[in-house]
Amino acid sequence: MASSSTTISLSLATFSSSTATTSSSITQPKTSSICSFRSHESSLSSSLLGTRICVNNKKARTKGVSKRSISNGVTCLASSSVLPSALLFDCDGVLVDTEKDGHRISFNDTFNERELGVTWDVDLYGELLKIGGGKERMTAYFNKTGWPEKAPKSEEERKEFIASLHKRKTELFMALIEKKLLPLRPGVAKLIDQALGKGVKVAVCSTSNEKAVSAIVSFLLGPERAEKIKIFAGDVVPRKKPDPAIYTLAANTLGVDPSSCVVVEDSAIGLAAAKAAGMKCIVTKSGYTADEDFLNADAVFDCIGDPPEERFDLAFCGSLLEKQYVS
């Protein structure tokens, strides 16, 4: 089926619906799978559920793992006994799909209050999200398009101006969260409860303002969970995603090896930060990130999911840490 040097090692459930090739062409029927996996430099489309596949030029063998079909996709569960030392979540787009109807609206309301004559529409904000951090986002935008007439002229005063805008934007955003107008994404509470129940450390690592992240964790996850979750956010590190600093800080503070951590992200810059920190990374796509490049992700889903439409669980996160040797 290929040269003797080609081995494809893939595990756990249904793979992406795209057709992949090795040195000889392999074609499989497309599926409606919402998760995709990549192992080393090779991938394989499959309609198999709950199957570990090892393929080379001599033999093909399968080893069953736990599985369960659901109405709108597949569940990717694992029989692994390995658990992560820490489960690290991004905030915006992962815990809550906040960007379009949360942060963007709060930025625009702030601009309107200050009579700056600036409005960020949905498409523009999607482009601006490629810049990590709200203050950095505003600064880059004004540097490119021109600073508002009401903005100061000196660089130091402009930093203070941006900081004041961001402070007001955070206040408006927190009001939305406190009213619970933006719900948790499916499966978030479930996965966090599984982790905490097994003694896995849980943290939220975000470029957003620490107060805004704390509000999301406290109001939407509840105080009992919140007191067990460490938050690393905002300006706690000098360089924001895609720099790995936030994840490196989290691992050091929690006292865990980065290689034993699993990150849940929704964006390409978040994925880059996690991988640069030496961590496994699962992507749960969000409204703004569905078309981004997640080639280096360890797994990609549309969400975490709650039963009966659960996409993956804590055991699956642990299975990503198991070493796979490919000859």
Side-chain angles (χ1 to χ4, degrees):
M1 118 168 225
S3 64
S4 60
S5 63
T6 301
T7 299
I8 306 171
S9 178
L10 302 167
S11 64
L12 305 172
T14 302
F15 303 84
S16 63
S17 60
S18 61
T19 300
T21 59
T22 59
S23 59
S24 62
S25 177
I26 303 173
T27 303
Q28 294 284 349
K30 290 186 177 181
T31 74
S32 59
S33 170
I34 44 68
C35 58
S36 64
F37 302 85
R38 299 177 180 86
S39 177
H40 304 270
E41 295 180 352
S42 300
S43 60
L44 174 70
S45 295
S46 174
S47 58
L48 296 175
L49 291 178
T51 302
R52 183 180 298 274
I53 304 173
C54 181
V55 181
N56 60 26
N57 66 316
K58 295 181 179 179
K59 60 186 176 179
R61 57 195 173 123
T62 64
K63 178 181 178 183
V65 296
S66 59
K67 67 177 182 178
R68 178 172 46 165
S69 295
I70 60 175
S71 59
N72 294 323
V74 296
T75 299
C76 299
L77 303 179
S79 57
S80 171
S81 60
V82 177
L83 291 177
S85 296
L87 194 58
L88 310 178
F89 293 85
D90 177 39
C91 182
D92 299 302
V94 172
L95 301 184
V96 188
D97 208 345
T98 53
E99 298 293 7
K100 180 170 71 73
D101 297 321
H103 288 293
R104 185 183 69 88
I105 298 301
S106 300
F107 275 117
N108 284 337
D109 287 347
T110 300
F111 298 152
N112 185 56
E113 283 184 359
R114 299 292 182 91
E115 298 180 339
L116 299 183
V118 174
T119 301
W120 287 350
D121 63 27
V122 172
D123 292 338
L124 172 59
Y125 192 68
E127 288 297 312
L128 291 171
L129 284 176
K130 295 176 182 178
I131 303 167
K135 293 191 291 291
E136 293 80 359
R137 204 168 294 146
M138 285 188 286
T139 300
Y141 174 79
F142 291 139
N143 281 339
K144 181 177 181 179
T145 65
W147 287 77
E149 291 184 6
K150 293 187 176 182
K153 305 302 181 185
S154 73
E155 183 176 349
E156 193 60 35
E157 288 178 320
R158 283 180 171 176
K159 287 182 179 179
E160 295 177 2
F161 174 72
I162 289 292
S164 69
L165 291 178
H166 197 256
K167 180 180 179 182
R168 177 56 180 159
K169 172 260 170 185
T170 299
E171 292 171 350
L172 294 174
F173 176 77
M174 288 175 64
L176 291 176
I177 296 301
E178 290 172 9
K179 294 175 183 177
K180 297 185 177 180
L181 298 178
L182 299 171
L184 288 171
R185 293 192 69 191
V188 167
K190 172 215 70 178
L191 186 57
I192 288 175
D193 286 344
Q194 288 177 351
L196 294 175
K198 292 290 187 179
V200 175
K201 296 177 180 179
V202 176
V204 176
C205 302
S206 173
T207 60
S208 291
N209 180 275
E210 190 274 336
K211 290 182 179 179
V213 176
S214 294
I216 288 175
V217 172
S218 179
F219 284 99
L220 300 185
L221 285 169
E224 291 187 8
R225 294 189 185 99
E227 67 181 12
K228 301 174 185 176
I229 298 173
K230 183 73 174 176
I231 293 174
F232 303 90
D235 298 323
V236 68
V237 289
R239 298 176 304 280
K240 298 183 178 179
K241 302 173 187 176
D243 191 279
I246 192 80
Y247 286 120
T248 301
L249 174 65
N252 290 339
T253 304
L254 296 173
V256 297
D257 190 318
S259 66
S260 70
C261 297
V262 174
V263 174
V264 184
E265 271 283 357
D266 76 308
S267 68
I269 63 170
L271 168 61
K275 299 307 287 185
M279 300 177 179
K280 298 294 184 181
C281 186
I282 301 171
V283 169
T284 55
K285 296 181 179 182
S286 62
Y288 270 120
T289 67
D291 296 326
E292 292 186 9
D293 181 4
F294 300 122
L295 181 64
N296 293 325
D298 294 282
V300 178
F301 297 88
D302 63 342
C303 66
I304 298 171
D306 286 308
E309 298 185 356
E310 183 180 41
R311 284 10 177 202
F312 66 95
D313 60 2
L314 182 65
F316 173 76
C317 295
S319 73
L320 296 178
L321 301 174
E322 294 183 312
K323 300 297 183 183
Q324 296 183 24
Y325 298 95
V326 178
S327 59

